[in-house]
């Protein structure tokens, strides 16, 4: 339990660092994303994941669906705002996702399948 | 007795304002949604979060509690989204070694794939005369939800519309990649997994773990990298274009 709290302290401290970075350099990203990047760099430098950090991040990531629920619910109360645009939204999402899936598969398949550069590995 | 009634009446006014009311409703709807999901035998086209959100919306519509009031009350819970987003750095760090084994295709595929995941949908919506709010809400549609929420706030889109877009995108990407891989005779789990993560965020990643651990690992990597990359380029691009 204390381990989770210590990990939570690290995560929240990185969120604060993210806040400070975004504010200082007037970055157009959210402080959560800035904090995540700073944490990743820090971990890459240290090359070691502490037990505390793992203990706190695992349950938080598992809770993500719950945490975004209040935002999801809003669509039922703000549906009128987008009346007349629903068809556009559906076409853009369905066709756009189909095209981008096709592109990614094609690109990645071609690049992975190109002749090996190191034949002896 | 009449005093008790009076107190009851004032309770009916104050109770909806309290954070605990909003949090109890959210948690209750969440667990009921999970229960309903397994009762429906875990349908792939309908993630439990959608069921839970429908239940919560029903509760809010029935009770004398407005959505704005609810959002204020539940703020204590949604604040946790901040540290949870930071926590995503941990799996990203754990998957970095996959980049070392296959860095060339990943580095070459990621930027165009992530840009097109946003670009196609925004382009189509723009051609069909969508409003700027709709365009901003659709742009981060392939990014995992916590990061996408941060992006959409920067672009001044609508969080609820983004959530709907994320859901449709995730389901659609899972379907189309499964079908396209079968058609195109693509069997490499690294390719399929990466495509699922880049286009279908968390929903695609869940499907990739069904295929196998390699596909799952590449899907989480694709999801994390798309999130980070999009969080960096999209707001910058939006500032220049808009």
């Amino acid at each position: 339990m204390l381990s989770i709290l210590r990990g939570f302290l690290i995560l929240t401290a990185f969120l604060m660092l993210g806040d400070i970075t975004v504010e200082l350099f007037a970055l157009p990203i959210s402080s959560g994303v800035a904090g995540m990047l700073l944490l990743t760099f820090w971990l890459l430098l240290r090359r070691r994941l502490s037990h505390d950090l793992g203990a706190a991040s695992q349950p938080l990531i598992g809770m993500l669906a719950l945490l975004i629920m209040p935002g999801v619910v809003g669509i039922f109360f703000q549906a009128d705002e987008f009346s007349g645009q629903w068809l556009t939204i559906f076409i853009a999402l369905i066709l756009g996702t189909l095209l981008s899936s096709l592109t990614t598969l094609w690109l990645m398949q071609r690049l992975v399948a190109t002749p090996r550069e190191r034949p002896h590995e | 007795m009449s005093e008790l009634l009076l107190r009851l009446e004032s309770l009916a006014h104050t109770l909806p304002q309290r954070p605990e009311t909003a949090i109890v409703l959210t948690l209750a709807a969440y667990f009921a949604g999970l229960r309903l999901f397994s009762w429906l035998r875990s349908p792939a086209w309908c993630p439990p979060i959608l069921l839970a959100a429908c239940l919560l919306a029903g509760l809010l519509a029935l009770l004398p509690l407005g959505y704005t009031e609810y959002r204020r009350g539940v703020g204590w819970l949604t604040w946790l989204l901040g540290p949870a987003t930071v926590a995503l750095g941990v799996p990203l760090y754990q998957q970095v070694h996959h980049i070392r084994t296959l860095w060339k295709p990943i580095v070459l595929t990621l930027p165009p794939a992530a840009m097109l995941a946003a670009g196609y949908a925004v382009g189509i919506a723009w051609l069909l005369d969508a409003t700027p709010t709709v365009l901003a809400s659709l742009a981060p549609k392939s990014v995992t939800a916590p990061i996408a929420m941060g992006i959409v706030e920067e672009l001044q889109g609508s969080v609820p519309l983004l959530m709907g877009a994320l859901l449709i995108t995730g389901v659609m990407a899972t379907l189309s990649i499964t079908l396209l891989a079968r058609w195109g005779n693509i069997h490499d789990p690294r390719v399929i997994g990466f495509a699922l993560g880049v286009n279908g965020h968390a929903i695609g990643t869940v499907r990739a773990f069904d295929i196998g651990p390699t596909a799952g690992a590449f899907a989480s990597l694709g999801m994390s990298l798309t999130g980070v990359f999009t969080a960096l380029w999209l707001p910058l691009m939006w500032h220049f274009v808009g």
Side-chain angles (χ1 to χ4, degrees), chain A residues 108-120:
Chain A
M108 190 73 180
Q109 176 72 5
R110 278 203 55 171
L111 289 167
V112 170
T114 43
R116 316 226 169 253
E117 304 135 356
R118 290 164 295 181
H120 296 298

Side-chain angles (χ1 to χ4, degrees), chain A residues 91-118:
Chain A
I91 294 175
L93 285 174
I94 290 176
L95 200 61
T97 306
L98 185 68
L99 287 173
S100 74
S101 301
L102 185 68
T103 318
T104 314
L105 273 178
W106 180 77
L107 259 177
M108 190 73 180
Q109 176 72 5
R110 278 203 55 171
L111 289 167
V112 170
T114 43
R116 316 226 169 253
E117 304 135 356
R118 290 164 295 181

Side-chain angles (χ1 to χ4, degrees), chain B residues 20 29 33 41 52 57 69 92 145 182 203 216 228:
Chain B
E20 52 267 38
R41 296 190 190 157
E69 262 180 317
L92 181 57
R182 203 174 296 160
I203 300 177
V228 170

Side-chain angles (χ1 to χ4, degrees), chain B residues 55-241:
Chain B
L55 288 174
L56 183 57
L59 279 173
L60 290 180
L62 286 175
L63 297 170
L65 172 63
Y67 180 64
T68 9
E69 262 180 317
Y70 164 76
R71 271 317 282 266
R72 206 178 309 132
V74 85
W76 187 87
L77 198 65
T78 41
W79 173 81
L80 282 174
L81 205 52
T85 311
V86 177
L88 288 174
V90 173
L92 181 57
Y93 162 73
Q94 286 169 326
Q95 267 125 32
V96 161
H97 66 275
H98 288 300
I99 301 182
R100 293 198 186 114
T101 62
L102 214 64
W103 68 272
K104 216 171 172 184
I106 290 175
V107 167
L108 289 177
T109 309
L110 184 82
M115 286 174 132
L116 286 173
Y120 282 131
V122 172
I124 294 168
W126 182 75
L127 286 176
L128 294 173
D129 272 338
T131 60
T133 316
V134 170
L135 292 180
S137 318
L138 296 188
K141 74 177 184 64
S142 287
V143 175
T144 184
I147 302 182
M149 278 175 90
I151 299 177
V152 92
E153 274 158 22
E154 291 295 332
L155 309 186
Q156 293 172 333
S158 143
V159 172
L161 180 56
L162 164 73
M163 291 299 161
L166 284 177
L167 188 70
I168 297 173
T169 304
V171 174
M172 187 59 204
T174 307
L175 273 176
S176 55
I177 288 169
T178 311
L179 290 176
L180 287 170
R182 203 174 296 160
W183 263 355
N185 231 350
I186 298 172
H187 302 292
D188 192 335
R190 299 171 303 181
V191 174
I192 299 176
F194 194 71
L196 279 169
V198 169
N199 294 288
H201 54 92
I203 300 177
T205 305
V206 170
R207 165 77 190 128
F209 273 108
D210 287 341
I211 298 176
T214 313
F218 273 87
S220 345
L221 180 68
M223 177 178 84
S224 311
L225 291 178
T226 304
V228 170
F229 181 70
T230 311
L232 296 175
W233 76 269
L234 193 57
L236 276 173
M237 190 94 135
W238 215 259
H239 274 279
F240 283 120
V241 178

